[in-house]
Amino acid sequence: MKKKYGLWTTMLAMSLVFTACSSNGGGSANSPAASPPNASSQASESSAPPSSEPAKQLSLTIGLPGSYDVTKKEIIDQFIATHPHITVKVEEAPWGDFVSKIATQIAGNSTPDVWFQENATILGYGKRGVAEDLGPYIERDLNASDYIDALFSARTPEGQVWGVPHGTNAVALAYNKSAFAAANVDLPTDDWTFADLIEAAKKLTIKEGKDTKQFGFVGNTSIATGWFPWIKQAGGFVLDDTKTKSMLDDSKTLEGLRQLRQGIEEGYFTNNDFIKANGTEMDVFATGKAAMYLMQYSQQVGMNASFPDADWDVVKVPKAVDGNRYVPMVTNSWLISSRASEDSKEAAWQFLRFYLGDEAQKMVAESGASIPVKKSAYEVYATSTTKPLNKNGFIEGVAEGGVTTDENASWAEWRLLVQQEVNDAVIQGAKSIEDALAAAHKSVQQVLDENQ
C-alpha cells in the first residue's frame, strides 16, 4: 500500500507542474496560427529555386533523452552539415535524468526548442499548452501519402497534431520454427486469426508429468503485447473514438480478456511464475520454452545480440474477429515547444522536416531500433539479412493496421488502473474478469471525466 501511495503522490505532483505551466503566460498551442511563420519561404528544399539572399541565421536547441543511444548521431550531424544557417545546441542526458530535468524546465519556461518523449506524454503537453500544433506545418510542407498513418500518432480527436514520431515500435507474432517443425504444426501465416493462434498453442504445449517443458504462447499481460491486443482482436474497446469514454464494460472486451485468462489457466499460455523463474518473456521465447510471442520491433536488437542462434521469424499480428488487423504501436514523438521564439519554431520545424525526410528516415530504418514512418525508407529492409528475415511482419503489419494503445492526455494515469485490475484477474486469478473490468471501467471513467 505504501508503494502505491508514492506512485499517486508522484503523479499528482507532475499534474500540478503541468497545470502551472499551462497558465504561466506562455504561448498556447491550443490556438494555433492558421499558417506557421515564414510559410512563403519554406517551399520544399528539393524544389526551391536558388536565391541570392543568404538564409536567415537561426538558433535551435534540441533535447535528446537517452542521448545518442536512442537518437542516431549521424542524423543530427547531417542536419547541422546541411543547415549551416542554423546554430544548433544539443542537450542530451540519460532518459530518466532528462525526464526529471524537462519537468523543471517546463515550470521555468526554459525548455529546448524541440525534444521527444513518450507519445502519451506529448499529448499531455499539448493539452497543457506546452506543445505547438504541427498540423499546419505538415499540411504546408509534407505529402501525407508518403507516410504511414503512424505519422499522426499524436493527433487528437479534435485534429491538433502535438508531435511527429521519433520512431514506431510495432508488434508482430514471433514464432520458433524448430518448435513448429517438431510438433508437425503448420507455420503461422499472415492470414491467421487469434483463434488459429490459440489452437496452435494447444498443440505446441509439451508437458512432462505435472511440469510444462514448452508452452505454446507467452501469456504477456502488459498493455502493448498483452491485454490491449487481446481486447482488440475480440472486437472490444478500451476507450471510444473520442478518447473520453471508457468501453471496458463492453461484452467483447470481456471476451478478449477471458480468452487470455483461459490460456494461462489451462496451461497453454505461460503464467507469471514461469516467466519469473526463467528470466524475461523474451528469454522464455528465445530459449524455446514458449513457441510463440507477441514481440515489439525493438526487441529484435536484443534477440540478435543475446540469442544469435535462436531459430525464429515473425508474421503479422493475427486478424481480429471482424477480419481487420489491429497492430499496437508505441511511439516516442518529437514536439516543438509552443513557447519558443517564432524563429526557433521555424528552425525546429526545419529539423523535423529533415528528420522525416528520405535520408534521415533511412538512418532510422538501419538502426533496427524503431520503424520509420516514411514509406521510401522501407527499401532498406529488402537487403537486410538480420533476423527476423520477414521484417514485413512488422513493417507491413503496422502500415496496414497500426493503432496506438488509446493514448490521450490522461493515458499514464488510467493505464495503471487497468493494469492493476488485469494483474489481479488475468495473472493472479484473484478476482473474476467481470469484477475486474467493472472496477476498471468505473475508475477509468472517473479519470477521463476529471481530465475533460
Side-chain angles (χ1 to χ4, degrees):
M1 183 64 69
K2 185 175 181 181
K3 183 177 181 181
K4 183 176 178 182
Y5 178 81
L7 173 63
W8 287 108
T9 302
T10 301
M11 292 175 67
L12 176 61
M14 289 298 291
S15 174
L16 293 174
V17 169
F18 289 142
T19 302
C21 293
S22 66
S23 58
N24 71 353
S28 173
N30 291 322
S31 302
S35 179
N38 303 323
S40 62
S41 67
Q42 294 302 311
S44 172
E45 292 178 352
S46 61
S47 60
S51 174
S52 58
E53 295 183 10
K56 182 178 181 179
Q57 290 297 308
L58 303 173
S59 63
L60 174 66
T61 302
I62 302 174
L64 294 183
S67 305
Y68 294 113
D69 291 336
V70 179
T71 304
K72 286 182 70 69
K73 189 174 187 298
E74 292 86 345
I75 296 177
I76 306 295
D77 290 343
Q78 188 64 10
F79 173 75
I80 293 171
T82 55
H83 294 73
H85 64 290
I86 300 178
T87 301
V88 176
K89 176 185 177 183
V90 177
E91 293 183 358
E92 54 175 301
W95 192 280
D97 293 345
F98 186 95
V99 170
S100 298
K101 181 180 179 182
I102 201 69
T104 302
Q105 289 178 320
I106 290 171
N109 203 23
S110 59
T111 64
D113 302 311
V114 60
W115 76 93
F116 70 93
Q117 283 182 262
E118 295 94 338
N119 197 55
T121 301
I122 300 305
L123 291 169
Y125 288 158
K127 182 176 181 179
R128 295 172 177 90
V130 176
E132 186 81 358
D133 181 8
L134 302 183
Y137 293 85
I138 292 171
E139 184 176 359
R140 184 190 73 187
D141 287 340
L142 302 182
N143 183 353
S145 65
D146 292 339
Y147 299 84
I148 63 174
D149 290 345
L151 175 68
F152 295 103
S153 297
R155 181 165 57 189
T156 69
E158 295 75 29
Q160 300 103 329
V161 183
W162 298 131
V164 294
H166 178 276
T168 299
N169 194 8
V171 175
L173 177 63
Y175 62 94
N176 184 306
K177 294 193 286 186
S178 298
F180 273 79
N184 197 28
V185 175
D186 290 340
L187 294 177
T189 72
D190 290 337
D191 291 326
W192 262 27
T193 65
F194 272 76
D196 294 319
L197 184 157
I198 291 170
E199 289 307 307
K202 293 176 180 178
K203 296 175 183 177
L204 290 160
T205 298
I206 301 173
K207 292 186 177 294
E208 293 182 347
K210 294 182 179 180
D211 297 326
T212 301
K213 178 182 178 182
Q214 175 183 285
F215 287 86
F217 177 76
V218 175
N220 190 331
T221 52
S222 63
I223 180 168
T225 56
W227 52 267
F228 188 87
W230 279 96
I231 287 173
K232 295 295 290 183
Q233 64 84 25
F237 305 87
V238 179
L239 305 184
D240 71 347
D241 289 341
T242 70
K243 304 296 187 291
T244 61
K245 299 295 182 184
S246 169
M247 299 290 288
L248 292 168
D249 60 345
D250 187 275
S251 61
K252 294 177 181 177
T253 299
L254 173 66
E255 175 59 23
L257 287 188
R258 184 181 285 133
Q259 288 175 303
L260 177 57
R261 173 59 191 166
Q262 185 175 358
I264 295 172
E265 201 167 31
E266 295 186 4
Y268 48 90
F269 293 178
T270 57
N271 57 57
N272 207 42
D273 290 340
F274 185 84
I275 291 171
K276 286 182 178 180
N278 290 276
T280 66
E281 291 157 351
M282 188 175 76
D283 293 332
V284 169
F285 171 72
T287 57
K289 295 181 177 67
M292 293 181 289
Y293 178 34
L294 283 178
M295 174 187 285
Q296 289 187 296
Y297 181 80
S298 62
Q299 290 180 301
Q300 65 172 314
V301 178
M303 279 286 294
N304 289 327
S306 301
F307 305 98
D309 297 326
D311 187 20
W312 66 288
D313 210 335
V314 302
V315 293
K316 297 176 186 176
V317 170
K319 294 179 181 178
V321 293
D322 63 3
N324 294 319
R325 201 182 311 275
Y326 300 97
V327 180
M329 59 182 183
V330 177
T331 64
N332 293 318
S333 292
W334 292 101
L335 84 151
I336 295 177
S337 171
S338 63
R339 295 148 187 199
S341 69
E342 294 306 309
D343 281 350
S344 292
K345 287 179 184 178
E346 186 57 38
W349 174 247
Q350 288 186 38
F351 169 68
L352 294 186
R353 188 172 60 175
F354 174 82
Y355 193 90
L356 293 169
D358 291 335
E359 184 176 9
Q361 288 288 288
K362 287 180 181 177
M363 292 182 190
V364 172
E366 290 166 352
S367 74
S370 59
I371 300 171
V373 292
K374 192 164 191 186
K375 297 173 184 176
S376 63
Y378 293 173
E379 66 186 45
V380 168
Y381 300 115
T383 57
S384 174
T385 58
T386 61
K387 297 174 186 175
L389 295 179
N390 180 35
K391 290 185 176 60
N392 284 335
F394 289 107
I395 309 307
E396 293 181 358
V398 72
E400 175 187 343
V403 293
T404 71
T405 53
D406 282 357
E407 293 163 352
N408 63 5
S410 59
W411 180 87
E413 187 175 353
W414 67 253
R415 177 185 64 83
L416 290 176
L417 297 171
V418 179
Q419 189 67 58
Q420 179 179 339
E421 295 297 337
V422 169
N423 288 348
D424 286 348
V426 177
I427 297 178
Q428 305 297 340
K431 61 171 66 173
S432 70
I433 303 293
E434 291 86 350
D435 288 347
L437 282 179
H441 174 68
K442 181 178 179 180
S443 56
V444 168
Q445 189 59 57
Q446 182 177 347
V447 169
L448 297 173
D449 290 343
E450 290 172 351
N451 281 271
Q452 292 299 309

